[in-house]
Amino acid sequence: MPDKFKFAFMPSASCGGCEIAIVDIDEVILKVAELADIVYWPTALDFKDHHLEALPDGSITVGFFNGAVRNDHDVHHAKLLRQKSAFVVAFGACAQMGGIPSLGNFWTTEELAHRMYDTVPSVNNPEGTRPQLKYDAPEGELTLPRAMDRAYALDQVIDVDYYLPGCPPQVKWIVAAVEAVASGELPPKGTVIAGTKAVCDECPRERSEEKQVTEFKRIHLVENDPEKCLLEQGIMCCGPATRDGCEAACVTAGQACRGCFGPTDNVNDMGAKLASAIASITVADAQEEADRILGHLDDPAGYFYRFGLAKSMLGVQRGEFKPEAE
Amino acid sequence: MQKIEIDPISRLEGHGKIAIFLDDAGDVAEAYLQIPELRGFEQFCVGRPVEELPRITPRICGV
Ligand code: SF4
Ligand code: SF4
Ligand code: SF4
């Protein structure tokens, strides 16, 4: 074991919330500083790629990667972090399963760009200027990374050792991960460092043995009973298919779960699992009745795949630029 | 012309790089700020229930 561990924190198509979560561990950060040197963390300190490139391969104890993989620069960073790290942790929902940015996978990158640069009301771009991979400015050349066909989860690009789920991950699980490294008692490769059951198992709301739903309603249109299961009140909740470990944070705060901890063990496709969970609790005698009830579930794609479309079996391949094409 | 590139701009969330071009006298001739990121919130928020947006748009920036 080295005298001191080395940690690296790599951002990609992220929001920074994951890195704020690291700072949120408060005084535990002092313990981390005692335990490990931070050798790369550009969001917090002045690090550039060359600092990472100069390190010997495998010399970083744990490389934490946050954000989805969205362009060739992210792919390069993912591969570089893998090369330099003994263990790589997919940190947060975006790295674990694409996260919110992978909601964009319902469109092609060109469709996203068209909206962003041509038609969004706050943009005035009559010449249709678009970002160029290379631009010859009068003073010299400028370059930009190339966007891929869609957002990818980290393990679709490199080998990943562990997952810290959540949007963002919660302090207690970050601390658990750091303690596991410190003690040398590492869980089996592939472990998702969180609970092993479903959010429903941690949820304080009362629920009956047999959930039955005869109507779906939007949360602001009902006065929901704070003691009772939201799903049983007809409010879409992803608790049944979502891994526990957050102490049902949203549900306790009066909001339904949206699945940021990802699926429970042995679930291949979270959306499919949720669709089947919803189907099994919907009570209808006839097809028309079922259609009517489910018709009120106004955005199933956005509920079932809120944080994980990149990992869905639906995984639409658009035939544009993919990570292996780098 | 000499080019100084700051990539990434560190100690911030979000992605940015700066290219500064210097003339022969070493003075700044031109500087460019580039934002090398695409996620697509402008598109993928469209059609989602409005009450869900407070749970989606905070992920534009979580700092
Ligand atoms: S997982 Fe959530 S908090 Fe982390 S980068 Fe993605 S959107 Fe931000
Ligand atoms: S469905 Fe939602 S509200 Fe109901 S028990 Fe599960 S987590 Fe709680
Ligand atoms: S309740 Fe669901 S959406 Fe909220 S933090 Fe927990 S897993 Fe994430």
Side-chain angles (χ1 to χ4, degrees), chain A residues 12-17 42-46 48 70-71 104 107 115-116 137 139 141 143-145 167 218 220 250 256 258 299 306, chain B residues 1 3 6-8 10-13 15 17 19 21 30 32 34 36-39 42-44 48-49 51-52 55 59 61-63:
Chain A
S12 57
S14 57
C15 79
T43 309
L45 303 158
D46 191 20
K48 307 289 182 216
R70 196 66 188 82
N71 63 38
W107 291 268
R115 170 80 181 157
M116 292 163 68
E139 300 79 17
E141 189 182 82
T143 59
L144 279 176
C167 181
R218 293 169 71 171
H220 59 299
C250 300
R258 286 292 171 261
D299 181 24
R306 175 65 57 86
Chain B
M1 215 173 254
K3 181 183 180 187
I6 302 167
D7 180 23
S10 54
R11 292 154 292 177
L12 89 161
E13 194 295 306
H15 298 250
K17 60 183 202 176
F21 291 96
E30 196 58 89
Y32 294 89
Q34 293 176 283
E37 198 182 17
L38 175 148
R39 286 180 296 171
E42 298 87 338
Q43 178 61 50
F44 65 64
R48 310 254 98 91
E51 70 276 16
E52 292 295 318
R55 311 190 68 182
R59 276 77 184 196
C61 178
V63 173

Short mmCIF file of all heavy atoms in Angstrom, two decimals, chain A residues 12-17 42-46 48 70-71 104 107 115-116 137 139 141 143-145 167 218 220 250 256 258 299 306, chain B residues 1 3 6-8 10-13 15 17 19 21 30 32 34 36-39 42-44 48-49 51-52 55 59 61-63:
data_model
loop_
_atom_site.label_atom_id
_atom_site.label_comp_id
_atom_site.label_asym_id
_atom_site.label_seq_id
_atom_site.Cartn_x
_atom_site.Cartn_y
_atom_site.Cartn_z
N SER A 12 -16.87 15.69 -17.23
CA SER A 12 -17.10 15.62 -18.68
C SER A 12 -18.41 16.34 -18.98
O SER A 12 -18.55 17.49 -18.59
CB SER A 12 -17.11 14.17 -19.16
OG SER A 12 -18.09 13.44 -18.46
N ALA A 13 -19.38 15.71 -19.66
CA ALA A 13 -20.66 16.39 -19.90
C ALA A 13 -21.46 16.34 -18.61
O ALA A 13 -22.29 15.46 -18.39
CB ALA A 13 -21.41 15.74 -21.05
N SER A 14 -21.16 17.29 -17.73
CA SER A 14 -21.67 17.26 -16.37
C SER A 14 -22.21 18.63 -16.00
O SER A 14 -22.13 19.57 -16.80
CB SER A 14 -20.52 16.90 -15.43
OG SER A 14 -19.46 17.83 -15.59
N CYS A 15 -22.73 18.73 -14.78
CA CYS A 15 -23.27 20.02 -14.36
C CYS A 15 -22.48 20.63 -13.21
O CYS A 15 -22.78 21.72 -12.76
CB CYS A 15 -24.74 19.87 -13.95
SG CYS A 15 -24.94 19.16 -12.30
N GLY A 16 -21.50 19.87 -12.69
CA GLY A 16 -20.74 20.37 -11.55
C GLY A 16 -21.33 19.95 -10.22
O GLY A 16 -20.66 20.05 -9.18
N GLY A 17 -22.57 19.47 -10.24
CA GLY A 17 -23.22 19.05 -8.99
C GLY A 17 -22.47 17.91 -8.31
O GLY A 17 -22.37 17.85 -7.09
N PRO A 42 -9.60 19.62 -12.20
CA PRO A 42 -9.61 20.95 -12.82
C PRO A 42 -10.76 21.85 -12.38
O PRO A 42 -10.66 23.08 -12.48
CB PRO A 42 -9.71 20.65 -14.32
CG PRO A 42 -10.19 19.25 -14.41
CD PRO A 42 -9.72 18.55 -13.18
N THR A 43 -11.84 21.26 -11.88
CA THR A 43 -12.96 22.10 -11.45
C THR A 43 -12.60 22.88 -10.18
O THR A 43 -13.14 23.97 -9.94
CB THR A 43 -14.22 21.25 -11.23
OG1 THR A 43 -14.42 20.44 -12.39
CG2 THR A 43 -15.45 22.09 -10.99
N ALA A 44 -11.71 22.32 -9.38
CA ALA A 44 -11.39 22.97 -8.10
C ALA A 44 -10.01 23.60 -8.09
O ALA A 44 -9.77 24.56 -7.36
CB ALA A 44 -11.50 21.94 -6.98
N LEU A 45 -9.08 23.06 -8.87
CA LEU A 45 -7.68 23.53 -8.82
C LEU A 45 -7.19 23.72 -10.24
O LEU A 45 -7.80 23.24 -11.19
CB LEU A 45 -6.82 22.49 -8.09
CG LEU A 45 -7.27 22.15 -6.66
CD1 LEU A 45 -6.76 20.79 -6.22
CD2 LEU A 45 -6.81 23.23 -5.70
N ASP A 46 -6.06 24.39 -10.40
CA ASP A 46 -5.62 24.69 -11.77
C ASP A 46 -4.85 23.53 -12.40
O ASP A 46 -3.63 23.57 -12.50
CB ASP A 46 -4.79 25.97 -11.81
CG ASP A 46 -4.57 26.42 -13.25
OD1 ASP A 46 -5.35 25.98 -14.13
OD2 ASP A 46 -3.63 27.17 -13.50
N LYS A 48 -4.30 20.99 -15.78
CA LYS A 48 -4.49 20.84 -17.23
C LYS A 48 -4.23 19.38 -17.59
O LYS A 48 -3.67 18.62 -16.80
CB LYS A 48 -3.49 21.72 -18.00
CG LYS A 48 -3.50 23.18 -17.59
CD LYS A 48 -4.75 23.90 -18.04
CE LYS A 48 -4.70 25.36 -17.65
NZ LYS A 48 -6.02 25.90 -17.25
N ARG A 70 -19.91 12.78 -24.10
CA ARG A 70 -20.72 13.42 -25.15
C ARG A 70 -19.93 13.83 -26.39
O ARG A 70 -20.51 14.05 -27.44
CB ARG A 70 -21.42 14.65 -24.53
CG ARG A 70 -22.59 15.20 -25.34
CD ARG A 70 -23.71 14.21 -25.39
NE ARG A 70 -24.81 14.54 -26.29
CZ ARG A 70 -24.82 14.32 -27.61
NH1 ARG A 70 -23.75 13.83 -28.22
NH2 ARG A 70 -25.88 14.59 -28.33
N ASN A 71 -18.58 13.97 -26.22
CA ASN A 71 -17.78 14.35 -27.39
C ASN A 71 -16.42 13.64 -27.38
O ASN A 71 -16.10 12.93 -26.42
CB ASN A 71 -17.64 15.88 -27.49
CG ASN A 71 -16.91 16.48 -26.30
OD1 ASN A 71 -15.96 15.90 -25.79
ND2 ASN A 71 -17.35 17.64 -25.84
N GLY A 104 -31.31 13.65 -24.23
CA GLY A 104 -31.08 14.12 -25.61
C GLY A 104 -30.95 12.99 -26.61
O GLY A 104 -31.01 13.23 -27.83
N TRP A 107 -33.14 12.35 -29.68
CA TRP A 107 -32.94 13.08 -30.93
C TRP A 107 -31.54 12.80 -31.47
O TRP A 107 -30.67 12.36 -30.73
CB TRP A 107 -33.06 14.61 -30.70
CG TRP A 107 -34.45 15.04 -30.36
CD1 TRP A 107 -35.41 15.46 -31.23
CD2 TRP A 107 -35.05 15.08 -29.05
NE1 TRP A 107 -36.56 15.75 -30.55
CE2 TRP A 107 -36.38 15.53 -29.22
CE3 TRP A 107 -34.61 14.76 -27.77
CZ2 TRP A 107 -37.26 15.68 -28.15
CZ3 TRP A 107 -35.49 14.90 -26.70
CH2 TRP A 107 -36.80 15.35 -26.90
N ARG A 115 -31.86 22.87 -32.97
CA ARG A 115 -32.64 23.60 -31.96
C ARG A 115 -31.76 24.66 -31.28
O ARG A 115 -32.13 25.82 -31.15
CB ARG A 115 -33.18 22.60 -30.94
CG ARG A 115 -33.81 23.20 -29.72
CD ARG A 115 -35.23 23.67 -29.99
NE ARG A 115 -35.80 24.27 -28.79
CZ ARG A 115 -36.81 25.14 -28.81
NH1 ARG A 115 -37.36 25.50 -29.94
NH2 ARG A 115 -37.27 25.64 -27.70
N MET A 116 -30.57 24.22 -30.85
CA MET A 116 -29.72 25.10 -30.04
C MET A 116 -29.21 26.32 -30.82
O MET A 116 -29.12 27.40 -30.28
CB MET A 116 -28.50 24.31 -29.53
CG MET A 116 -28.86 23.26 -28.52
SD MET A 116 -27.53 22.06 -28.32
CE MET A 116 -26.28 23.06 -27.56
N ALA A 137 -9.33 31.41 -37.92
CA ALA A 137 -9.43 32.82 -37.53
C ALA A 137 -8.29 33.55 -38.22
O ALA A 137 -7.29 32.91 -38.59
CB ALA A 137 -9.32 32.94 -36.02
N GLU A 139 -6.02 35.20 -37.06
CA GLU A 139 -4.76 35.10 -36.30
C GLU A 139 -4.23 33.67 -36.24
O GLU A 139 -3.08 33.45 -35.86
CB GLU A 139 -4.96 35.60 -34.87
CG GLU A 139 -5.41 37.05 -34.76
CD GLU A 139 -6.92 37.21 -35.03
OE1 GLU A 139 -7.65 36.21 -34.97
OE2 GLU A 139 -7.34 38.36 -35.30
N GLU A 141 -5.47 29.09 -36.12
CA GLU A 141 -6.52 28.07 -36.12
C GLU A 141 -7.13 27.85 -34.73
O GLU A 141 -6.42 27.84 -33.72
CB GLU A 141 -5.92 26.76 -36.62
CG GLU A 141 -6.94 25.68 -36.87
CD GLU A 141 -6.28 24.39 -37.32
OE1 GLU A 141 -5.80 23.64 -36.46
OE2 GLU A 141 -6.24 24.15 -38.54
N THR A 143 -9.87 25.15 -32.67
CA THR A 143 -10.50 23.84 -32.81
C THR A 143 -11.51 23.61 -31.70
O THR A 143 -11.44 24.23 -30.64
CB THR A 143 -9.46 22.69 -32.75
OG1 THR A 143 -8.80 22.77 -31.48
CG2 THR A 143 -8.46 22.79 -33.88
N LEU A 144 -12.46 22.73 -31.97
CA LEU A 144 -13.45 22.32 -30.97
C LEU A 144 -13.55 20.80 -30.97
O LEU A 144 -13.31 20.16 -32.00
CB LEU A 144 -14.83 22.90 -31.32
CG LEU A 144 -15.12 24.35 -30.94
CD1 LEU A 144 -16.49 24.75 -31.46
CD2 LEU A 144 -15.05 24.54 -29.43
N PRO A 145 -13.96 20.20 -29.84
CA PRO A 145 -14.20 18.76 -29.84
C PRO A 145 -15.38 18.41 -30.74
O PRO A 145 -16.22 19.27 -31.03
CB PRO A 145 -14.52 18.42 -28.39
CG PRO A 145 -14.27 19.64 -27.60
CD PRO A 145 -14.23 20.80 -28.53
N CYS A 167 -27.84 11.65 -8.36
CA CYS A 167 -27.69 12.91 -9.09
C CYS A 167 -27.89 14.07 -8.12
O CYS A 167 -28.96 14.63 -8.06
CB CYS A 167 -28.69 12.97 -10.24
SG CYS A 167 -28.56 14.48 -11.21
N ARG A 218 -51.28 14.41 -12.37
CA ARG A 218 -50.07 15.23 -12.24
C ARG A 218 -50.02 15.78 -10.82
O ARG A 218 -51.04 16.16 -10.25
CB ARG A 218 -50.08 16.33 -13.29
CG ARG A 218 -49.95 15.73 -14.70
CD ARG A 218 -50.22 16.71 -15.78
NE ARG A 218 -49.15 17.71 -15.89
CZ ARG A 218 -49.08 18.58 -16.89
NH1 ARG A 218 -50.00 18.57 -17.86
NH2 ARG A 218 -48.11 19.46 -16.94
N HIS A 220 -49.21 18.39 -9.22
CA HIS A 220 -49.71 19.69 -8.75
C HIS A 220 -51.22 19.79 -8.85
O HIS A 220 -51.81 20.78 -8.45
CB HIS A 220 -49.06 20.82 -9.55
CG HIS A 220 -49.33 20.72 -11.03
ND1 HIS A 220 -48.93 19.66 -11.78
CD2 HIS A 220 -49.97 21.56 -11.86
CE1 HIS A 220 -49.30 19.85 -13.04
NE2 HIS A 220 -49.95 21.00 -13.11
N CYS A 250 -36.38 12.31 -2.09
CA CYS A 250 -37.40 13.13 -2.78
C CYS A 250 -38.77 12.88 -2.20
O CYS A 250 -39.54 13.81 -1.96
CB CYS A 250 -37.40 12.83 -4.27
SG CYS A 250 -35.81 13.16 -5.03
N ALA A 256 -42.08 12.89 -5.97
CA ALA A 256 -41.94 11.49 -6.35
C ALA A 256 -40.50 11.19 -6.75
O ALA A 256 -39.76 12.08 -7.16
CB ALA A 256 -42.88 11.19 -7.51
N ARG A 258 -37.57 9.98 -9.09
CA ARG A 258 -37.38 9.97 -10.54
C ARG A 258 -36.24 9.05 -10.95
O ARG A 258 -35.78 9.08 -12.08
CB ARG A 258 -37.13 11.40 -11.05
CG ARG A 258 -38.40 12.25 -11.05
CD ARG A 258 -39.42 11.76 -12.10
NE ARG A 258 -40.70 12.44 -11.97
CZ ARG A 258 -41.78 11.92 -11.35
NH1 ARG A 258 -41.72 10.73 -10.80
NH2 ARG A 258 -42.91 12.59 -11.27
N ASP A 299 -45.90 11.66 -19.73
CA ASP A 299 -44.56 11.64 -20.35
C ASP A 299 -43.83 10.37 -19.94
O ASP A 299 -42.79 10.45 -19.25
CB ASP A 299 -43.78 12.90 -19.93
CG ASP A 299 -42.39 12.96 -20.55
OD1 ASP A 299 -42.17 12.34 -21.62
OD2 ASP A 299 -41.51 13.63 -19.97
N ARG A 306 -35.63 8.97 -17.10
CA ARG A 306 -35.19 10.31 -16.73
C ARG A 306 -33.67 10.41 -16.61
O ARG A 306 -33.07 11.37 -17.05
CB ARG A 306 -35.85 10.72 -15.41
CG ARG A 306 -35.41 12.05 -14.82
CD ARG A 306 -35.78 13.22 -15.70
NE ARG A 306 -37.21 13.28 -15.96
CZ ARG A 306 -38.10 13.86 -15.15
NH1 ARG A 306 -37.70 14.45 -14.06
NH2 ARG A 306 -39.39 13.86 -15.46
N MET B 1 2.16 34.08 -35.66
CA MET B 1 1.64 34.72 -34.44
C MET B 1 1.67 33.73 -33.28
O MET B 1 1.32 32.56 -33.45
CB MET B 1 0.20 35.19 -34.69
CG MET B 1 -0.13 36.47 -33.97
SD MET B 1 -1.74 37.09 -34.47
CE MET B 1 -1.32 38.47 -35.49
N LYS B 3 0.52 31.77 -30.05
CA LYS B 3 -0.81 31.44 -29.49
C LYS B 3 -0.65 30.89 -28.08
O LYS B 3 0.14 29.98 -27.84
CB LYS B 3 -1.47 30.38 -30.40
CG LYS B 3 -2.85 29.95 -29.95
CD LYS B 3 -3.35 28.85 -30.90
CE LYS B 3 -4.72 28.35 -30.55
NZ LYS B 3 -5.09 27.19 -31.37
N ILE B 6 -5.48 28.36 -23.14
CA ILE B 6 -5.84 27.97 -21.78
C ILE B 6 -6.99 26.98 -21.91
O ILE B 6 -8.11 27.34 -22.27
CB ILE B 6 -6.27 29.20 -20.94
CG1 ILE B 6 -5.13 30.22 -20.91
CG2 ILE B 6 -6.65 28.78 -19.52
CD1 ILE B 6 -5.52 31.58 -20.38
N ASP B 7 -6.69 25.71 -21.70
CA ASP B 7 -7.66 24.64 -21.95
C ASP B 7 -7.40 23.48 -21.02
O ASP B 7 -6.36 22.87 -21.13
CB ASP B 7 -7.56 24.20 -23.42
CG ASP B 7 -8.55 23.08 -23.74
OD1 ASP B 7 -9.56 22.97 -23.03
OD2 ASP B 7 -8.30 22.33 -24.70
N PRO B 8 -8.29 23.16 -20.11
CA PRO B 8 -9.56 23.85 -19.88
C PRO B 8 -9.35 25.07 -18.99
O PRO B 8 -8.33 25.19 -18.32
CB PRO B 8 -10.37 22.79 -19.10
CG PRO B 8 -9.33 22.04 -18.32
CD PRO B 8 -8.09 22.02 -19.19
N SER B 10 -9.85 26.33 -15.74
CA SER B 10 -10.07 25.53 -14.53
C SER B 10 -10.78 26.36 -13.47
O SER B 10 -11.01 27.56 -13.64
CB SER B 10 -8.73 24.99 -14.01
OG SER B 10 -7.84 26.04 -13.82
N ARG B 11 -11.12 25.68 -12.40
CA ARG B 11 -11.81 26.27 -11.25
C ARG B 11 -13.15 26.90 -11.61
O ARG B 11 -13.53 27.94 -11.10
CB ARG B 11 -10.90 27.30 -10.52
CG ARG B 11 -9.72 26.63 -9.84
CD ARG B 11 -8.56 27.57 -9.69
NE ARG B 11 -7.99 27.90 -10.98
CZ ARG B 11 -6.99 28.75 -11.16
NH1 ARG B 11 -6.47 29.35 -10.14
NH2 ARG B 11 -6.52 29.00 -12.38
N LEU B 12 -13.82 26.27 -12.54
CA LEU B 12 -15.20 26.64 -12.78
C LEU B 12 -15.93 25.40 -13.26
O LEU B 12 -15.32 24.45 -13.73
CB LEU B 12 -15.35 27.77 -13.82
CG LEU B 12 -15.48 27.38 -15.29
CD1 LEU B 12 -16.05 28.53 -16.07
CD2 LEU B 12 -14.17 26.96 -15.88
N GLU B 13 -17.27 25.44 -13.12
CA GLU B 13 -18.08 24.38 -13.71
C GLU B 13 -18.42 24.83 -15.10
O GLU B 13 -18.58 26.00 -15.37
CB GLU B 13 -19.34 24.15 -12.89
CG GLU B 13 -20.07 22.85 -13.22
CD GLU B 13 -20.63 22.80 -14.63
OE1 GLU B 13 -21.37 23.68 -15.01
OE2 GLU B 13 -20.29 21.84 -15.36
N HIS B 15 -17.59 24.21 -19.35
CA HIS B 15 -16.38 23.96 -20.11
C HIS B 15 -16.06 25.19 -20.92
O HIS B 15 -16.93 25.80 -21.51
CB HIS B 15 -16.60 22.76 -21.04
CG HIS B 15 -16.89 21.51 -20.27
ND1 HIS B 15 -16.01 20.47 -20.18
CD2 HIS B 15 -17.95 21.17 -19.51
CE1 HIS B 15 -16.52 19.52 -19.41
NE2 HIS B 15 -17.71 19.93 -18.99
N LYS B 17 -12.58 27.16 -23.17
CA LYS B 17 -11.15 27.33 -23.43
C LYS B 17 -10.92 28.71 -24.05
O LYS B 17 -11.82 29.28 -24.67
CB LYS B 17 -10.59 26.20 -24.30
CG LYS B 17 -11.20 26.02 -25.67
CD LYS B 17 -10.51 24.80 -26.29
CE LYS B 17 -10.59 24.76 -27.78
NZ LYS B 17 -9.85 23.65 -28.36
N ALA B 19 -8.21 31.09 -26.31
CA ALA B 19 -7.01 31.20 -27.16
C ALA B 19 -6.64 32.68 -27.26
O ALA B 19 -7.49 33.52 -27.59
CB ALA B 19 -7.28 30.63 -28.55
N PHE B 21 -3.94 35.28 -29.02
CA PHE B 21 -2.90 35.43 -30.05
C PHE B 21 -2.10 36.69 -29.77
O PHE B 21 -2.67 37.76 -29.52
CB PHE B 21 -3.55 35.50 -31.44
CG PHE B 21 -4.16 34.20 -31.86
CD1 PHE B 21 -5.52 33.95 -31.67
CD2 PHE B 21 -3.37 33.20 -32.45
CE1 PHE B 21 -6.08 32.74 -32.06
CE2 PHE B 21 -3.93 31.98 -32.83
CZ PHE B 21 -5.29 31.75 -32.64
N GLU B 30 -5.58 39.32 -30.47
CA GLU B 30 -6.97 38.87 -30.43
C GLU B 30 -7.10 37.76 -29.39
O GLU B 30 -6.13 37.03 -29.16
CB GLU B 30 -7.40 38.36 -31.82
CG GLU B 30 -8.88 38.22 -32.03
CD GLU B 30 -9.68 39.51 -31.84
OE1 GLU B 30 -9.86 40.27 -32.82
OE2 GLU B 30 -10.11 39.76 -30.69
N TYR B 32 -9.94 34.65 -28.06
CA TYR B 32 -11.18 33.92 -28.35
C TYR B 32 -11.58 33.06 -27.15
O TYR B 32 -10.73 32.37 -26.57
CB TYR B 32 -11.00 33.00 -29.56
CG TYR B 32 -10.77 33.74 -30.86
CD1 TYR B 32 -9.48 34.08 -31.27
CD2 TYR B 32 -11.84 34.10 -31.67
CE1 TYR B 32 -9.25 34.76 -32.46
CE2 TYR B 32 -11.63 34.78 -32.86
CZ TYR B 32 -10.34 35.10 -33.26
OH TYR B 32 -10.13 35.78 -34.44
N GLN B 34 -14.01 29.93 -26.25
CA GLN B 34 -14.82 28.88 -26.89
C GLN B 34 -15.48 28.00 -25.83
O GLN B 34 -14.88 27.71 -24.78
CB GLN B 34 -13.93 27.97 -27.75
CG GLN B 34 -13.34 28.67 -28.96
CD GLN B 34 -12.40 27.72 -29.68
OE1 GLN B 34 -11.28 27.51 -29.24
NE2 GLN B 34 -12.88 27.14 -30.75
N PRO B 36 -16.79 24.40 -25.54
CA PRO B 36 -16.75 23.17 -26.32
C PRO B 36 -17.75 22.12 -25.85
O PRO B 36 -17.43 20.95 -25.77
CB PRO B 36 -15.32 22.69 -26.11
CG PRO B 36 -14.96 23.19 -24.76
CD PRO B 36 -15.79 24.42 -24.49
N GLU B 37 -18.97 22.51 -25.50
CA GLU B 37 -19.88 21.51 -24.94
C GLU B 37 -21.26 21.56 -25.58
O GLU B 37 -21.76 22.63 -25.90
CB GLU B 37 -20.03 21.72 -23.43
CG GLU B 37 -20.58 20.48 -22.77
CD GLU B 37 -20.79 20.64 -21.28
OE1 GLU B 37 -20.81 21.77 -20.78
OE2 GLU B 37 -20.96 19.60 -20.63
N LEU B 38 -21.84 20.38 -25.74
CA LEU B 38 -23.20 20.28 -26.25
C LEU B 38 -23.93 19.23 -25.41
O LEU B 38 -23.45 18.13 -25.23
CB LEU B 38 -23.17 19.83 -27.72
CG LEU B 38 -24.49 19.54 -28.43
CD1 LEU B 38 -24.37 19.89 -29.91
CD2 LEU B 38 -24.93 18.09 -28.29
N ARG B 39 -25.07 19.60 -24.85
CA ARG B 39 -25.89 18.60 -24.15
C ARG B 39 -27.31 18.57 -24.72
O ARG B 39 -27.87 17.51 -24.91
CB ARG B 39 -25.90 18.87 -22.64
CG ARG B 39 -24.58 18.47 -21.97
CD ARG B 39 -24.58 18.73 -20.48
NE ARG B 39 -24.70 20.16 -20.22
CZ ARG B 39 -24.89 20.68 -19.01
NH1 ARG B 39 -25.02 19.91 -17.96
NH2 ARG B 39 -24.97 21.99 -18.84
N GLU B 42 -32.01 22.59 -24.57
CA GLU B 42 -32.95 23.41 -25.33
C GLU B 42 -33.95 22.54 -26.06
O GLU B 42 -35.08 22.95 -26.29
CB GLU B 42 -32.18 24.27 -26.36
CG GLU B 42 -31.21 25.27 -25.76
CD GLU B 42 -29.81 24.70 -25.49
OE1 GLU B 42 -29.67 23.47 -25.36
OE2 GLU B 42 -28.87 25.50 -25.41
N GLN B 43 -33.54 21.33 -26.44
CA GLN B 43 -34.44 20.43 -27.15
C GLN B 43 -35.12 19.43 -26.21
O GLN B 43 -36.32 19.24 -26.28
CB GLN B 43 -33.66 19.67 -28.23
CG GLN B 43 -34.51 18.66 -29.01
CD GLN B 43 -35.66 19.32 -29.73
OE1 GLN B 43 -35.48 20.30 -30.44
NE2 GLN B 43 -36.86 18.80 -29.54
N PHE B 44 -34.34 18.80 -25.32
CA PHE B 44 -34.95 17.68 -24.59
C PHE B 44 -35.87 18.12 -23.45
O PHE B 44 -36.55 17.28 -22.87
CB PHE B 44 -33.93 16.60 -24.18
CG PHE B 44 -32.85 16.98 -23.20
CD1 PHE B 44 -33.14 17.34 -21.90
CD2 PHE B 44 -31.51 16.89 -23.58
CE1 PHE B 44 -32.14 17.64 -20.99
CE2 PHE B 44 -30.49 17.19 -22.68
CZ PHE B 44 -30.82 17.57 -21.38
N ARG B 48 -41.77 18.00 -22.16
CA ARG B 48 -41.83 17.43 -20.81
C ARG B 48 -42.86 18.21 -19.99
O ARG B 48 -43.03 19.42 -20.20
CB ARG B 48 -40.46 17.51 -20.12
CG ARG B 48 -39.29 16.99 -20.92
CD ARG B 48 -38.79 15.65 -20.42
NE ARG B 48 -39.32 14.58 -21.21
CZ ARG B 48 -38.72 14.06 -22.30
NH1 ARG B 48 -37.58 14.51 -22.72
NH2 ARG B 48 -39.28 13.07 -22.95
N PRO B 49 -43.55 17.57 -19.06
CA PRO B 49 -44.52 18.28 -18.22
C PRO B 49 -43.83 19.44 -17.48
O PRO B 49 -42.73 19.27 -16.97
CB PRO B 49 -44.99 17.22 -17.21
CG PRO B 49 -44.68 15.91 -17.86
CD PRO B 49 -43.47 16.14 -18.71
N GLU B 51 -44.23 20.81 -14.68
CA GLU B 51 -43.89 20.63 -13.26
C GLU B 51 -42.64 19.76 -13.09
O GLU B 51 -42.08 19.67 -12.00
CB GLU B 51 -45.08 20.06 -12.48
CG GLU B 51 -45.47 18.62 -12.77
CD GLU B 51 -46.39 18.48 -13.99
OE1 GLU B 51 -46.50 19.44 -14.78
OE2 GLU B 51 -46.98 17.40 -14.14
N GLU B 52 -42.19 19.11 -14.15
CA GLU B 52 -40.97 18.31 -14.07
C GLU B 52 -39.72 19.15 -14.33
O GLU B 52 -38.61 18.74 -14.03
CB GLU B 52 -41.02 17.16 -15.09
CG GLU B 52 -42.08 16.11 -14.77
CD GLU B 52 -41.80 15.36 -13.47
OE1 GLU B 52 -40.64 15.01 -13.22
OE2 GLU B 52 -42.76 15.14 -12.70
N ARG B 55 -36.98 19.84 -11.95
CA ARG B 55 -36.15 18.68 -11.61
C ARG B 55 -35.20 18.33 -12.75
O ARG B 55 -34.39 17.42 -12.62
CB ARG B 55 -37.04 17.48 -11.28
CG ARG B 55 -38.14 17.84 -10.30
CD ARG B 55 -38.86 16.64 -9.80
NE ARG B 55 -38.00 15.83 -8.95
CZ ARG B 55 -38.37 14.69 -8.39
NH1 ARG B 55 -39.57 14.21 -8.62
NH2 ARG B 55 -37.54 14.03 -7.62
N ARG B 59 -29.94 20.67 -13.60
CA ARG B 59 -28.77 19.92 -14.07
C ARG B 59 -28.06 20.65 -15.21
O ARG B 59 -27.10 20.11 -15.77
CB ARG B 59 -29.18 18.51 -14.49
CG ARG B 59 -29.23 17.51 -13.35
CD ARG B 59 -30.46 17.63 -12.49
NE ARG B 59 -30.43 16.71 -11.35
CZ ARG B 59 -31.50 16.38 -10.63
NH1 ARG B 59 -32.68 16.92 -10.89
NH2 ARG B 59 -31.38 15.57 -9.60
N CYS B 61 -26.62 23.54 -14.49
CA CYS B 61 -25.46 23.81 -13.64
C CYS B 61 -25.82 23.50 -12.20
O CYS B 61 -26.77 24.06 -11.67
CB CYS B 61 -25.01 25.26 -13.75
SG CYS B 61 -23.62 25.58 -12.63
N GLY B 62 -25.05 22.62 -11.59
CA GLY B 62 -25.34 22.19 -10.23
C GLY B 62 -24.44 22.81 -9.18
O GLY B 62 -24.31 22.30 -8.09
N VAL B 63 -23.77 23.91 -9.56
CA VAL B 63 -22.84 24.50 -8.58
C VAL B 63 -23.56 25.48 -7.65
O VAL B 63 -24.34 26.25 -8.03
CB VAL B 63 -21.67 25.18 -9.29
CG1 VAL B 63 -20.79 25.94 -8.29
CG2 VAL B 63 -20.82 24.14 -9.99
#
